[in-house]
Amino acid sequence: MSLQEITDRIATAETAAGRSKGAVKLIAVSKVQPNERVKAVLEQGHRCFGENRVQEAAGKWPTFREDFPDVDLHLIGPLQTNKARQAMELCDAIHSVDRPKLAKTLARLAQEIGGCPDLFIQVNTGEEQQKAGILPSDADAFIKECRGLDLPVRGLMCLPPVEEEPALHFALLAKIAERNGLDGLSMGMSGDFETAIALGATHVRVGSAIFGERVKPQE
Ligand SMILES: *Cc1c(COP(=O)(O)O)cnc(C)c1O
């Protein structure tokens, strides 16, 4: 599929859901993709990208930014506290805030750096043991804690269990966001972004449908 096809499908889904044009931001997930593929998408004018590892992002985006300074880079994968500073300096948004220790580290660094990327709190809607994210039952308290730390919380993010109906997870995420007065919903990937848009996604994270299958398997 091409970038144009995906942006067309997003526009169609926005209209079908009665959402305004441009309500949904497309994060092109470029993790483990060859640089030529990423460059081709940059040359088509797209600027918003997602990476799930700080190390990998640090290896490619400073160079791409020399030619495309207006890149909007989103970290969508788990973040270790010892990589937090690097992530904050490199990224415009972090979608994986998922525990008090990380929130406290981000708050301290935000003071030192004098700024903070937009933050999304990751919710483990499927309550999967191996997956990152705050449990749904702890989400309200954690959102409150992050706000108490003056962190710029823009919304919530989820990654539904592969074998389950994603719509149930998107609806749960939307409900938690709504009762906490949050507008941002980072949900939906290559296989389900239209469903996510119907349920209120503001950010969809689409990788393989734009770039093709990932060269190396990851997670
Ligand atoms: C890889 C990844 C995506 C994109 O997955 P595709 O199925 O290739 O669209 C989205 N979100 C997260 C958190 C990811 O790690």
Side-chain angles (χ1 to χ4, degrees), residues 85 88 104-116 148-151:
R85 177 187 286 275
M88 290 171 84
K104 286 182 192 123
T105 302
L106 292 170
R108 177 172 54 75
L109 291 169
Q111 289 291 319
E112 278 180 39
I113 298 168
C116 188
L149 291 166
D150 274 337
L151 290 172

Side-chain angles (χ1 to χ4, degrees), residues 27-31 33 50-52 75-78 95 122 157-159 186 188-193 204-214 218-219:
I27 302 172
V29 179
S30 49
K31 65 182 183 198
Q33 294 289 352
E51 289 285 345
N52 74 339
L75 181 71
I76 60 171
H95 292 238
Q122 183 173 354
M157 180 270 226
C158 76
L159 199 56
S186 168
M189 322 202 313
S190 291
D192 54 22
F193 67 88
V204 292
R205 309 179 308 264
V206 181
S208 43
I210 295 173
F211 295 104
E213 285 308 311
R214 280 183 278 281
Q218 194 171 38
E219 280 168 274

Side-chain angles (χ1 to χ4, degrees), residues 109-163:
L109 291 169
Q111 289 291 319
E112 278 180 39
I113 298 168
C116 188
D118 286 343
L119 301 179
F120 289 76
I121 290 172
Q122 183 173 354
V123 183
N124 186 354
T125 56
E127 306 189 27
E128 294 173 281
Q129 209 136 48
Q130 79 286 4
K131 202 168 270 178
I134 196 98
L135 291 174
S137 55
D138 296 334
D140 294 357
F142 184 56
I143 293 164
K144 202 168 163 202
E145 180 176 355
C146 290
R147 285 174 161 157
L149 291 166
D150 274 337
L151 290 172
V153 180
R154 304 290 181 228
L156 304 180
M157 180 270 226
C158 76
L159 199 56
V162 281
E163 69 288 357

Side-chain angles (χ1 to χ4, degrees), residues 24 68 77 100 151 172 176 180 189 191-192 213 217:
V24 180
F68 305 96
L151 290 172
L172 173 60
I176 298 170
N180 284 284
M189 322 202 313
D192 54 22
E213 285 308 311

Side-chain angles (χ1 to χ4, degrees), residues 54 57-59 61-62 65 73 85-92:
V54 178
W61 287 101
R65 273 185 169 140
L73 187 60
R85 177 187 286 275
Q86 195 180 12
M88 290 171 84
E89 289 172 346
L90 192 63
C91 300
D92 302 287

